[in-house]
Amino acid sequence: MYNYTLTTDFDRKNLIQKALDNISHAYAPYSHFHVSAAVLMSDGKVYTGVNVENASYPAGICAERNAIFHAIAQDKAAKLVAVAIVGGADGKIQDYCAPCGVCRQVMREFGNPQEITVIMAKSTTDYQEMTLGELLPMSFGPEFLT
Ligand SMILES: [Zn+2]
């Protein structure tokens, strides 16, 4: 039930497409930098999120955390398998959008960093892929507190 892995190109393209489909929902009236993310969980389900800014700037949240928290709110036993991220000024995707440090740490909470795939995409055929372990080496995680 919780053993879904990222194995096929279809999974990658599907995840990227879901992120692309949602970028118009980003609420970024201050930075104008729109971001959308889609996460694949170990039960095979996909959740999406966009960045949601706030007039009180620190109250806003990134697309990646929005998607992950949505997934965990549905099933806290599921682990993070992969994240696809797209973003750009005014929603125009011109470069690969990397996750911020806070989002990397939140990803670290919900899976093995060597097994979580982070896909930074311009399109379904143009993307860079790294493990969370590569993006967040020597990280602090839940096993330190047990
Ligand atoms: Zn972030």
Side-chain angles (χ1 to χ4, degrees), residues 62 64-65 100 103:
C62 301
E64 300 93 314
R65 276 178 289 150
C100 80
C103 287

Side-chain angles (χ1 to χ4, degrees), residues 49-106:
V50 295
N51 58 332
V52 179
E53 296 182 350
N54 192 280
S56 172
Y57 285 13
I61 190 165
C62 301
E64 300 93 314
R65 276 178 289 150
N66 200 348
I68 292 166
F69 293 159
H70 183 200
I72 295 301
Q74 307 310 308
D75 184 353
K76 67 181 176 185
K79 296 297 178 191
L80 181 61
V81 173
V83 186
I85 308 162
V86 298
D90 295 318
K92 295 182 189 73
I93 300 161
Q94 296 180 325
D95 207 345
Y96 306 111
C97 185
C100 80
V102 176
C103 287
R104 294 176 197 203
Q105 183 64 42
V106 167

